[in-house]
Amino acid sequence: MSTTPLTATLIDLAAHGQLPLHQHMDHATIEWISDNRPDLPPKPHLALRPQSKELFTHGGPPTRWWADPRLYTSLHGVRHAMRTAALAAVLAEANGLDDIDTATAVLAAAVHDCQRRHDKDDRGHGARAAIWLAANADTVWGHFGLTATPRRIIQAATAIRLHDVPYEAFTADDQHDHARAERITDVVKAADALDRYRLPKLKWWPDAQYVREPAFDQLRALAFDLVLTSERAYLAGASGTAAVRYALAEKGLV
């Protein structure tokens, strides 16, 4: 029988291997994250082009886009989605992507986890989200004030499908698909990995060996601060969308 109390924090539950299917941030865990801040390189000067900033004026993805609405406020919910989208925008800038490819990466990042069934190791959630995006492309692009095109849909869906597939596990079909949307896929995978500072075990935090992104280490401090600021704001009573927008504004990104 488990001796873990019902009021255990995420760090307690993770230490005992008892994390639930639905995982929600708590005060003790965010303070543990703060106390374990790694020695991070100084943040470079960061700025988003006006077109990228415009994408974040339309608000976060709505609850109805999530397969399970209980996950909307969880560790894989709207706050993770918006931070990943913002990090994708920054990475797109660092990689010199044009406005169209940047928007495609941001949209893919915003919905990459929306078809998760739970917060644990939900294999195949990327493929489910890619199918969902293809079926709801006009809704997603319209939410951000953009128009979907076949090329953009294919690239975004590819990035979403492959975001939870390790590079070393790519099949021949995965390699073929990756080649069609390489830069966007690499940006989305790296942005998702950078937001892992929210997770309640140090060994789960960002690791550059799992991504193909030269700017990855330069953005660690930004990623850490976005987690800390937005999660504290959320626990203080802000909505998920407002909490992340507050953190982005603090960093001068919106």
Side-chain angles (χ1 to χ4, degrees):
M1 184 175 70
S2 172
T3 58
T4 305
L6 293 176
T7 56
T9 65
L10 287 180
I11 48 173
D12 294 329
L13 294 166
H16 289 85
Q18 295 178 344
L19 283 169
L21 290 176
H22 304 101
Q23 300 164 24
H24 296 271
M25 186 59 70
D26 57 80
H27 290 281
T29 297
I30 197 61
E31 292 314 311
W32 172 86
I33 291 171
S34 178
D35 291 343
N36 282 279
R37 182 185 182 93
D39 184 15
L40 298 168
K43 297 186 290 291
H45 174 70
L46 301 170
L48 294 180
R49 70 188 80 172
Q51 292 89 341
S52 295
K53 289 183 179 181
E54 175 67 21
L55 296 176
F56 295 99
T57 67
H58 297 276
T63 309
R64 65 181 179 275
W65 290 6
W66 262 253
D68 184 341
R70 291 175 295 179
L71 269 64
Y72 189 72
T73 57
S74 79
L75 290 192
H76 291 93
V78 69
R79 301 188 307 284
H80 169 56
M82 290 185 65
R83 288 192 301 261
T84 303
L87 291 165
V90 175
L91 287 167
E93 295 277 357
N95 281 277
L97 271 63
D98 63 21
D99 288 343
I100 292 175
D101 284 352
T102 295
T104 302
V106 169
L107 267 66
V111 301
H112 73 284
D113 274 348
C114 73
Q115 295 303 292
R116 270 184 166 271
R117 293 169 178 157
H118 51 73
D119 284 308
K120 300 184 82 171
D121 186 17
D122 182 12
R123 305 228 173 165
H125 69 272
R128 294 195 299 272
I131 293 170
W132 179 89
L133 176 71
N136 295 275
D138 288 339
T139 297
V140 174
W141 265 263
H143 175 81
F144 290 96
L146 300 171
T147 301
T149 67
R151 180 175 179 271
R152 296 174 191 176
I153 296 168
I154 290 170
Q155 289 181 318
T158 297
I160 292 169
R161 184 180 77 77
L162 295 176
H163 90 267
D164 63 338
V165 181
Y167 286 108
E168 64 272 17
F170 276 12
T171 64
D173 286 343
D174 294 337
Q175 295 281 6
H176 178 267
D177 287 349
H178 177 256
R180 294 190 300 173
E182 181 174 353
R183 299 179 78 190
I184 292 169
T185 299
D186 291 348
V187 161
V188 173
K189 286 174 76 69
D192 184 32
L194 278 167
D195 197 51
R196 294 178 69 85
Y197 287 116
R198 75 198 190 284
L199 302 180
K201 270 195 176 183
L202 296 179
K203 69 177 184 179
W204 295 337
W205 282 15
D207 190 332
Q209 70 175 309
Y210 299 115
V211 300
R212 298 177 182 175
E213 177 46 64
F216 190 82
D217 284 334
Q218 299 173 27
L219 298 182
R220 287 176 181 271
L222 171 65
F224 186 92
D225 290 345
L226 289 179
V227 166
L228 203 62
T229 301
S230 60
E231 293 298 327
R232 280 176 168 166
Y234 175 71
L235 290 172
S239 70
T241 298
V244 177
R245 283 192 56 81
Y246 171 75
L248 294 177
E250 185 183 77
K251 295 301 176 185
L253 294 177
V254 296

